[in-house]
Each structure stands twice: as C-alpha cells, then as structure tokens.
Amino acid sequence: TSLRELAKKKNLLIGTSLRHWPFTREHKYREILYREFNTITIENAMKIENIHPQPDHYNFSESDLLVDFASDHQMKVRGHTLVWDKGLPTWITEGKYSKEETKRILKEHIQMIVSHYKGKVFAWDVVNEAFHDDGTYRDNFWFRSIGPEYIELAFRWAHEADPDALLFYNDYNNEGSNAKSDTIYQMISDFKKRGVPIHGVGFQLHTAIDQKPDLKAISKNMKRLADLNIQVHITELDVKVNKKQAATKEAWDQQAEIYGDLLKTCLSASNCKAFIMWGFTDRHSWLEEYSPLIFDKNYNPKPAYQKLIDILSQS
Ligand code: G3I
C-alpha cells in the first residue's frame, strides 16, 4: 500500500513540495513521488524571481514542466507563492514606483500567473508570511509601497483571475495560540465580513523534535477557523533532527511521533484538508543537514513514513 492509496479513503490531500531540479534527474525520486503523494506544491519555480524576472518577461518553463508532470500523474497542484518579500528582483525593489504603479505591477503579476494556470492549480498561497510573530505587519516592500491593503487586494485580484481556485494565506508559527495566529484570525474574520475572497490558511509547520507542537492549541485554532468556514492546509511540514540528536535511534522515533501527531490532528479536524511536507527525502531538503523528512538520503523510508502509514491504515 502507499500513503496516496490510504489517504484517498480519508479524502485527504497528502503531498510534498517539488524542488524544480532534482526530480527530472532521478528515477527513484519520481517513482516515490507519484506512488505516495496526490498533491504537490511548487517549491520555487513560481516565485517572482524565477517566474517574472523582468518587467515584461514571464518565464513559465520550469513551472509548466512541474504542473504538467503533476497532472500527468493525476496529482493536484498548489501554487506557491504570489506575494512574498523574499527574492524580489531589482526591477521591482529599485523601481521607485508610485503607490498606483506598484499596485498595477502586483495586479498584473498575480493575474498573469493565476490565469496562466487557471484550471491547473487548485489552490494558491496568495500571500506568504505577512506578519511578525508578535502579530504586527512585516514592513516589507509591498507594505511600504501599497500599505496593509496589499493583502486584501492580492486576494481580490487572484479571485478575479480564477474564481474557482482556493485562495490561502500562508505563514509559519501561526498554527498554535499566539499573537500571530490571533492577528491572522482577526484579518480573516474581517475579510469574511467584507466579502474578500479567501478560502484557507496554510500552517507551514517547519518544526523540530525539540519543538513539540502544542496539539491542543492547533486543534483549537483549526476549530475557530472552521467556524469562519475556512480550510486549513498543513503546507510545509518538516521535523528537524540535528547532528547530535541524529546519533540516537530515539530521535527518529521522536520525529515519527511528531509527524504522526500532526497527521492525527489534521484528520480529526473537519476543515484540515491537506497534509503537505516540504520535500520527502533528506537528499533534497532545504535543511539537508537536519534530515527532516520521511525518506532518508537513499530513499529508504524512515520511522516517520511508517507512522503515517499506520495512522492512515486505522479506520
Ligand atoms: O536553482 C539555483 C541554482 O541554479 C543555483 O546554483 C543556486 C545557488 O545560487 O541557487 C538555486 O536556487 C536556490 C533555490 O532555493 C533552489 O535550491 C535559491 O538560491 C534559494 O534561494 C532557494 O531557497 C528557497 C527559499 O524558500 C527561498 O525562496 C528554498 O529552496 C525553499 O525551500 C524555501 O522555502 C520557503 C517557502 O518558500 C516559504 N516558507 C519558508 C520556506 C523555507 O524557507
């Protein structure tokens, strides 16, 4: 059996991010990818520095390859990410644009990409990491140029380009009960009241075996979002094990425990629809020195993989 087969019975999207370069080279990578997962998130290829490198030039080549690969294997695609502050090309940051010009640039960026993938990308991380952990707005390029309304404008523009796509706000340290998750909850509650199109929140959940997530707080947070008719996707799960910890066998059991706890928490929430990891093999993780994923560098399943299988096998 496989995660993909078992997840189907639970109506759960289970997936991984796809780093553009490794998959095209490795048979083993591709084999596990479409045996075990039904959803992928494009890790980097749709980020502005890659997809919109010059004002009048969009480069869809990498992301088209990945989107087509996914649909060839009946996998759903999450688009990542339309608005972020990392990796902005200099034609944006050094453009000295007026507020109106910046709005026009961002609107075109969003609508060119969302319409290009209309019907192929079912969910978008529209805005990524807009708040500090204390709940205040990050003073990023878009905030400085447009003001806090850049967030709602991004959702409205994305919805105009593809009314069928699910639109997510994505962040980290936003899964539990804290100033950031409260601010996000307030923002979404306000958006809902004013008819701003938003459908879900992404909990990135980059964590570690010595940062056990507060499962009760996560369940409570998922519940209050469900009351707003908002979905939750676990979007970027990885569980770091540092070099010292990796010397002990129990580290891998602790890692498995956390993956399992979060899957159980997602399965028991009415509105948690996706369980996406930020890669699946330690061979290609953004955190390669922390062995954070469910397959090791040689594509052998780790205890965490077996734990997910066991949980999905329970009725
Ligand atoms: O592909 C190029 C390669 O050709 C070049 O030789 C190399 C050195 O410059 O860079 C390679 O691109 C790198 C890319 O990862 C692929 O490995 C970029 O420099 C590097 O900036 C990029 O980092 C990504 C990072 O986001 C910044 O975009 C990570 O892979 C990616 O895992 C990470 O993911 C983020 C999410 O998007 C948002 N949430 C946090 C998460 C972790 O930071």
Side-chain angles (χ1 to χ4, degrees):
T1 183
S2 73
L3 293 172
R4 178 169 186 166
E5 248 173 70
L6 293 168
K8 195 169 175 183
K9 298 194 186 91
K10 306 264 183 196
N11 198 16
L12 175 76
L13 298 181
I14 188 153
T16 174
S17 65
L18 213 45
R19 306 192 91 198
H20 44 87
W21 41 273
F23 110 90
T24 44
R25 291 197 195 130
E26 297 174 40
H27 165 72
K28 197 73 189 141
Y29 184 95
R30 289 200 303 275
E31 180 200 318
I32 294 177
L33 185 70
Y34 38 78
R35 186 187 70 222
E36 299 292 343
F37 305 111
N38 57 32
T39 305
I40 61 144
T41 298
I42 310 279
E43 186 162 335
N44 294 315
M46 290 184 174
K47 288 172 179 171
I48 190 166
E49 67 267 30
N50 299 319
I51 204 165
H52 191 184
Q54 292 303 329
D56 49 1
H57 176 58
Y58 289 83
N59 171 7
F60 293 115
S61 56
E62 289 280 356
S63 38
D64 282 352
L65 174 85
L66 299 173
V67 168
D68 293 348
F69 171 86
S71 44
D72 289 352
H73 294 97
Q74 294 75 44
M75 302 172 91
K76 290 170 102 75
V77 180
R78 297 187 85 262
H80 177 83
T81 174
L82 296 169
V83 186
W84 192 17
D85 188 47
K86 288 262 185 341
L88 293 181
T90 49
W91 72 265
I92 294 247
T93 52
E94 292 168 10
K96 305 224 179 327
Y97 303 110
S98 69
K99 172 172 177 173
E100 283 316 305
E101 281 166 339
T102 308
K103 282 166 68 173
R104 188 186 52 71
I105 288 168
L106 184 57
K107 179 176 184 179
E108 189 207 272
H109 175 75
I110 290 171
Q111 299 200 325
M112 280 292 278
I113 295 167
V114 173
S115 42
H116 182 84
Y117 288 112
K118 185 171 164 45
K120 296 184 170 183
V121 168
F122 87 104
W124 282 99
D125 287 335
V126 175
V127 175
N128 186 56
E129 301 172 25
F131 297 103
H132 289 292
D133 282 357
D134 68 1
T136 57
Y137 286 106
R138 286 181 189 280
D139 182 26
N140 66 37
F141 172 81
W142 306 111
F143 181 86
R144 283 196 305 280
S145 316
I146 298 174
E149 67 268 28
Y150 83 91
I151 299 175
E152 100 172 55
L153 288 170
F155 279 92
R156 290 186 189 283
W157 292 332
H159 185 66
E160 257 173 47
D162 184 355
D164 299 327
L166 294 178
L167 305 180
F168 280 72
Y169 172 80
N170 191 50
D171 215 327
Y172 63 89
N173 293 349
N174 64 327
E175 67 279 358
S177 168
N178 57 44
K180 184 187 266 191
S181 64
D182 287 348
T183 290
I184 292 165
Y185 174 78
Q186 299 307 335
M187 174 183 78
I188 293 176
S189 177
D190 167 54
F191 280 7
K192 283 297 204 182
K193 280 195 195 87
R194 292 189 294 113
V196 179
I198 183 166
H199 308 96
V201 176
F203 293 173
Q204 290 182 16
L205 269 163
H206 291 290
T207 186
I209 58 168
D210 41 19
Q211 291 164 18
K212 275 174 78 67
D214 179 343
L215 303 175
K216 271 206 202 58
I218 295 173
S219 297
K220 209 159 146 262
N221 192 19
M222 285 179 173
K223 175 72 178 71
R224 69 175 174 176
L225 291 166
D227 294 343
L228 291 179
N229 193 20
I230 286 285
Q231 290 190 30
V232 170
H233 282 181
I234 291 176
T235 50
E236 304 185 13
L237 179 57
D238 42 32
V239 183
K240 291 196 288 284
V241 174
N242 69 36
K243 281 257 183 311
K244 199 164 69 58
Q245 293 160 335
T248 68
K249 180 194 169 307
E250 84 227 358
W252 308 114
D253 295 335
Q254 288 165 358
Q255 184 183 56
E257 205 63 35
I258 292 177
Y259 271 101
D261 285 346
L262 289 168
L263 176 58
K264 279 186 272 189
T265 303
C266 182
L267 288 171
S268 50
S270 64
N271 62 330
C272 182
K273 301 291 181 195
F275 186 86
I276 313 285
M277 294 160 270
W278 209 235
F280 63 88
T281 167
D282 292 338
R283 190 188 190 93
H284 298 306
S285 162
W286 70 296
L287 294 167
E288 51 222 281
E289 69 281 13
Y290 287 97
S291 326
L293 300 170
I294 63 174
F295 288 84
D296 69 17
K297 286 186 185 313
N298 304 313
Y299 294 108
N300 302 310
K302 292 156 72 175
Y305 171 80
Q306 193 49 51
K307 176 67 84 174
L308 297 179
I309 289 281
D310 295 347
I311 289 167
L312 288 174
S313 305
Q314 288 154 15
S315 56

